[in-house]
Amino acid sequence: MSKKTRVSAAMRWHSKVGVGLFWLLIVLSATGIALNHTDRLGLAKTILNHPTLLSWYGLEAQPRPSATVHNQRYELRSHAVAGQWVGQIYREAQPLTHCTPPLLGSAQLSNQLGLLLCGQELIVVTADGELFDTWTSLDGLPSGLVALDNSAGQAIGLHSDGRRWLLDIDLFTATAIASAQPLPEPQQIADAAGISLQTLLLDLHSGRLFGALGIWIVDIAGVLFSLLAVTGLWSFLRRPR
Amino acid sequence: MATMQTTAKFTLRPSHRVGAAWLLFIWMLLAPLAHSEVYLSNEQFSARYFAEQPPLRGQLWLTEELKAAAEPLLGRKPSGLRVRYQRSTDGLRSAWIMNEIGKELPITIGVVVERGAIVAVEILAFRESRGWEVRFPAYTAQYRNARLEKRQLSENIDGITGATLSVRAVNAVAKLALFYAEQLEPL
């Protein structure tokens, strides 16, 4: 085979494979560029919960945990980051504040203030649905609270072991009071409510979105991309001058 | 019968050495993910910076005007209707503990202000998987003596590669604490 024939055969292979891989290359490039700018594009914070997508990931779409205080509906939206659940309380589709899942309980403290108990925080909200303050264990909130109660306008935190804490929302102090029957442990978060856009793009980029077959396709495409580079360079060097 | 003297010598086969090296490598990769912890409680923070006398405790009400004035410092309006603070009995020193989201999770940051300048910045709790280097004293020491000048810190704060969002959060809280301290009435 002459030099010219070999080059033209290589170029035919190059162009056919190139056309065949066109869309895959575009998708891999686009997802790769997007993943390089995860923070700027807010990919990790964009949560997708379309039923088709959730079912593709083997997750069941469930109603988000919510609580109503002073006729204001608060919703917990959560997603996993590096094996850790991260949540945010939303009111009327607007983010209000951070809330470590699960949302354990709520109580109306007075005409002005209400409470939302999260895994590690007690969120104080106003009757208008505004954030008033957040009490965490660093400020002395007893850890292990699983429910809230309200006694004559005073907040009571219930521990799973039966201990009861009088919670002073003004000073953020907790006082142990008489114990009661132990409460059942709170259910762990069951609302695998969404997939982050970062996860989706990552799975698309690696082919994992389509299971083992997708991974093999991306692997083979990687080998073909390398061969394209080789045939491209080879035909450039061997082209008739 | 002659007694055999044996010496226990611990050796690893070459294949095990490779395995151990891999485990070490994986541990080094995953180690940064495990930095989700509390370094200092509020009480310890308070005791460290108000050692002579227990501080007075107060709260600053965040009015709409105050929130609007604080917006350029934080990049958004501060959330909540009050900020709790501690103050020395002479009123010169105040300490502010605030939460600010780094990337996904809140970082609990304590700032001590005296006569309009930062005395100390401490990271009380860091929950993110990356960016925990902001807790190192070598980093937080940069804030010492920083003042608020034209909505910026007077001291140059060198960032940390890979911890951009955490650095941004600490900067914002440092500016906010200086601003809030300015709002306190003299005792």
Side-chain angles (χ1 to χ4, degrees):
Chain A
M1 197 184 278
S2 70
K3 177 183 166 187
K4 191 176 173 183
T5 318
R6 279 201 304 271
V7 170
S8 62
M11 280 318 292
R12 274 200 302 279
W13 182 90
H14 185 91
S15 59
K16 278 181 187 169
V17 174
V19 168
L21 292 176
F22 175 79
W23 284 112
L24 192 57
L25 185 59
I26 295 293
V27 168
L28 290 176
S29 304
T31 50
I33 291 168
L35 287 167
N36 265 352
H37 301 278
T38 297
D39 293 336
R40 198 175 302 165
L41 299 173
L43 300 181
K45 292 177 182 170
T46 307
I47 306 304
L48 309 169
N49 51 18
H50 193 277
T52 312
L53 182 68
L54 293 182
S55 112
W56 188 263
Y57 272 85
L59 302 172
E60 283 182 35
Q62 294 183 4
R64 292 196 179 107
S66 65
T68 303
V69 184
H70 293 117
N71 293 324
Q72 306 279 352
R73 187 171 180 275
Y74 300 93
E75 189 179 86
L76 173 66
R77 298 185 186 179
S78 54
H79 61 281
V81 176
Q84 194 176 4
W85 283 100
V86 176
Q88 186 100 1
I89 290 286
Y90 278 72
R91 187 183 69 85
E92 292 177 356
Q94 292 298 315
L96 188 70
T97 188
H98 168 80
C99 165
T100 307
L103 178 58
L104 293 162
S106 63
Q108 187 171 317
L109 193 60
S110 64
N111 288 337
Q112 286 88 38
L113 295 177
L115 303 172
L116 301 168
L117 180 64
C118 298
Q120 291 173 15
E121 306 88 8
L122 183 68
I123 298 167
V124 189
V125 289
T126 66
D128 298 330
E130 256 194 284
L131 176 69
F132 181 77
D133 207 344
T134 302
W135 188 1
T136 67
S137 55
L138 281 177
D139 304 321
L141 177 71
S143 54
L145 296 182
V146 292
L148 285 176
D149 200 358
N150 181 0
S151 172
Q154 290 201 298
I156 310 282
L158 309 176
H159 198 277
S160 59
D161 63 7
R163 276 181 295 166
R164 293 161 66 85
W165 295 87
L166 186 64
L167 306 173
D168 187 327
I169 302 303
D170 280 336
L171 300 173
F172 276 6
T173 53
T175 313
I177 52 176
S179 295
Q181 289 293 313
L183 295 169
E185 284 288 336
Q187 287 189 334
Q188 287 304 304
I189 181 164
D191 67 319
I195 302 293
S196 74
L197 186 53
Q198 182 187 19
T199 304
L200 179 68
L201 289 180
L202 206 55
D203 290 346
L204 194 58
H205 191 75
S206 64
R208 283 194 178 82
L209 191 63
F210 305 102
L213 180 68
I215 295 173
W216 276 109
I217 289 173
V218 172
D219 286 350
I220 292 165
V223 173
L224 290 174
F225 289 146
S226 306
L227 288 175
L228 281 177
V230 172
T231 52
L233 180 67
W234 183 73
S235 61
F236 174 77
L237 296 173
R238 300 293 298 269
R239 75 188 191 283
R241 293 170 198 271
Chain B
M1 185 187 276
T3 52
M4 283 178 65
Q5 195 176 6
T6 55
T7 52
K9 192 177 175 186
F10 181 74
T11 53
L12 277 176
R13 288 183 199 163
S15 60
H16 289 176
R17 282 182 207 155
V18 173
W22 270 110
L23 280 176
L24 183 66
F25 177 68
I26 290 167
W27 177 81
M28 285 168 71
L29 281 179
L30 296 179
L33 299 177
H35 281 83
S36 171
E37 48 190 285
V38 173
Y39 304 113
L40 208 60
S41 71
N42 287 19
E43 289 304 316
Q44 289 168 325
F45 177 73
S46 176
R48 186 174 291 182
Y49 294 102
F50 298 95
E52 291 175 6
Q53 214 168 1
L56 307 172
R57 291 172 195 272
Q59 48 197 15
L60 180 69
W61 293 100
L62 298 181
T63 59
E64 275 308 312
E65 295 77 38
L66 205 60
K67 284 187 179 187
E71 190 173 359
L73 307 173
L74 196 57
R76 59 171 170 78
K77 280 190 179 177
S79 56
L81 291 183
R82 70 174 180 186
V83 185
R84 282 164 297 116
Y85 61 84
Q86 299 166 36
R87 200 175 189 191
S88 59
T89 45
D90 59 8
L92 295 177
R93 174 176 284 199
S94 62
W96 307 81
I97 296 173
M98 288 180 267
N99 285 307
E100 181 63 9
I101 303 273
K103 184 181 176 192
E104 297 272 355
L105 292 163
I107 307 170
T108 307
I109 304 161
V111 184
V112 183
V113 179
E114 192 169 312
R115 299 174 202 268
I118 290 178
V119 173
V121 170
E122 296 261 15
I123 307 301
L124 277 68
F126 193 90
R127 304 167 183 88
E128 303 267 16
S129 55
R130 293 184 192 282
W132 44 269
E133 297 88 342
V134 291
R135 82 180 175 91
F136 289 145
Y139 173 75
T140 53
Q142 298 182 97
Y143 292 91
R144 213 167 289 152
N145 300 322
R147 293 175 176 275
L148 198 57
E149 288 176 359
K150 295 177 184 170
R151 297 176 179 172
Q152 295 298 326
L153 293 172
S154 60
E155 300 294 315
N156 181 50
I157 308 295
D158 289 334
I160 300 173
T161 307
T164 310
L165 297 176
S166 302
V167 167
R168 200 176 292 167
V170 181
N171 281 342
V173 167
K175 286 190 275 185
L176 204 55
L178 286 166
F179 174 72
Y180 286 159
E182 284 175 3
Q183 311 307 315
L184 298 181
E185 298 284 338
L187 290 179

